[in-house]
């Protein structure tokens, strides 16, 4: 049997159309459920940090503490370091890590945070066990993940149903679970976590600018990212089918009454003191 961490790959990759979304993310729009628990002295581990925008925001909120951002992809960490340096932050560092087997001692961090990570890993329960292990007693494990099947939009442009079906098939073929948001509490219980607060929140794209941005990045991602390559190489879609999905995104983006909501599940778990 392969190791758990070898059973999943990051479906999106780090094409510009993907980073367009990642660089937009902030602590406010992606980790609001956690911010009220932060204290200035805390040491935080940010798992799956990507280009580091959320990591940098967290570092600004713990001026007397420190944030370590980790990612499984070494290449993206240079961009994360540049993000932190551009803000003049000195209380943040970055390293390569696998959430299934974190290279940190027990009880190392006050907060262990992961945004849009567990949907892409091979064994989310083991990932949560590792996150719990490196959290200090009294500290917090904070996880937020999208739930693709719960995403909803208007108008019902032909082709977006095809996009959702295709994305879920590609993600599951890569070893992930795209409907992770609804499963977070279940995974946390299976990992032995207690004192779990389960919430939800959403991103909504409805203004002309928001529709143009959201539809454009998905239209481009459908044709040019690692996701597109995996869709064709895996036999999930032809080039013509991808082009049709891409155009469906652009058609939705041109709709004056267009509205799209991305539901996220969230869990905030306090480790027993």
């Amino acid at each position: 049997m392969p190791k758990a961490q070898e059973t999943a790959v990051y479906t999106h990759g780090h094409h510009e159309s993907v980073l367009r979304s990642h660089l937009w993310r902030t602590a406010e729009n992606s980790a609001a459920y956690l911010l009220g628990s932060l204290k200035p002295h805390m040491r935080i581990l940010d798992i799956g940090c990507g280009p580091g925008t959320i990591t940098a925001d967290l570092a600004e909120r713990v001026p007397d503490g420190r944030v370590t951002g980790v990612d499984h992809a070494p290449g993206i960490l240079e961009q994360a370091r540049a993000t932190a340096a551009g803000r003049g932050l000195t209380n943040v560092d970055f390293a390569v890590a696998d959430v299934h087997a974190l290279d940190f001692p027990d009880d190392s961090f006050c907060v262990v945070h992961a945004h849009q990570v567990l949907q892409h890993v091979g064994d989310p329960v083991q990932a949560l066990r590792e996150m719990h292990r490196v959290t200090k007693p009294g500290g917090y494990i904070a996880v937020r993940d999208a739930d693709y099947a719960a995403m909803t939009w208007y108008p019902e442009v032909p082709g977006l149903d095809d996009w959702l079906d295709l994305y879920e098939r590609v993600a599951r073929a890569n070893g992930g679970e795209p409907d992770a948001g609804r499963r977070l509490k279940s995974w946390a219980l299976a990992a032995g976590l207690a004192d779990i607060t389960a919430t939800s929140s959403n991103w909504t794209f409805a203004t002309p600018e928001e529709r143009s941005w959201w539809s454009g990045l998905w239209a481009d991602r459908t044709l040019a990212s690692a996701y597109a390559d995996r869709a064709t190489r895996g036999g999930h879609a032809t080039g013509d089918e991808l082009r049709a999905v891409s155009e469906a995104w652009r058609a939705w983006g041109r709709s004056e009454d267009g509205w799209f909501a991305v539901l996220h599940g969230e869990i905030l778990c306090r480790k027993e003191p």
Side-chain angles (χ1 to χ4, degrees):
M1 290 288 291
K3 295 180 180 178
Q5 57 264 45
E6 296 173 345
T7 65
V9 295
Y10 182 47
T11 295
H12 299 285
H14 291 100
H15 184 265
E16 182 277 331
S17 60
V18 178
L19 294 180
R20 209 182 306 166
S21 171
H22 290 185
L23 289 166
W24 166 82
R25 297 174 184 176
T26 65
E28 288 85 358
N29 67 29
S30 300
Y33 71 104
L34 167 63
L35 299 185
S37 300
L38 298 183
K39 306 296 181 186
H41 69 277
M42 284 181 161
R43 187 180 180 198
I44 300 174
L45 178 64
D46 186 25
I47 295 172
C49 65
T53 52
I54 297 175
T55 319
D57 282 353
L58 294 175
E60 289 174 345
R61 284 163 173 75
V62 292
D64 303 321
R66 189 163 192 84
V67 179
T68 297
V70 298
D71 203 283
H72 193 56
I76 197 61
L77 294 180
E78 286 307 309
Q79 188 160 353
R81 293 185 180 100
T83 298
R87 297 200 199 179
L89 295 169
T90 59
N91 64 332
V92 60
D93 59 89
F94 297 93
V96 176
D98 182 343
V99 68
H100 298 94
L102 294 168
D103 191 21
F104 299 103
D106 295 356
D107 306 337
S108 293
F109 298 94
C110 305
V111 175
V112 179
H113 168 262
H115 182 264
Q116 307 281 35
V117 172
L118 294 191
Q119 63 183 283
H120 299 294
V121 307
D123 190 341
V125 173
Q126 170 60 17
L128 284 164
R129 290 191 187 109
E130 275 293 274
M131 294 172 70
H132 181 268
R133 179 184 65 79
V134 302
T135 302
K136 293 180 178 180
Y140 296 93
I141 300 99
V143 180
R144 184 176 191 254
D145 260 281
D147 193 297
Y148 276 76
M151 294 183 188
T152 189
W153 57 85
Y154 186 86
E156 297 179 2
V157 174
L160 286 191
D161 285 337
D162 295 335
W163 159 74
L164 180 57
D165 174 69
L166 173 63
Y167 180 81
E168 293 215 318
R169 285 188 284 114
V170 173
R172 290 191 173 112
N174 287 338
E177 175 44 70
D179 302 341
R182 69 189 66 188
R183 291 172 164 81
L184 294 183
K185 183 177 180 180
S186 175
W187 288 340
L189 290 169
L193 276 61
D195 197 1
I196 303 168
T197 300
T199 56
S200 64
S201 61
N202 63 280
W203 295 332
T204 302
F205 305 102
T207 69
E209 295 78 17
E210 290 166 347
R211 291 197 314 272
S212 175
W213 180 77
W214 184 244
S215 64
L217 69 86
W218 268 107
D220 293 343
R221 191 181 302 189
T222 299
L223 296 179
S225 68
Y227 156 65
D229 183 54
R230 289 169 181 138
T232 53
R233 285 195 295 112
H236 304 288
T238 65
D240 285 344
E241 288 168 335
L242 291 181
R243 284 186 286 275
V245 168
S246 178
E247 178 50 37
W249 271 110
R250 296 199 184 278
W252 173 82
R254 292 190 293 267
S255 302
E256 292 184 0
D257 56 352
W259 178 92
F260 198 107
V262 179
L263 181 69
H264 295 81
E266 303 157 344
I267 53 170
L268 187 64
C269 310
R270 189 164 185 259
K271 185 171 180 178
E272 58 279 5

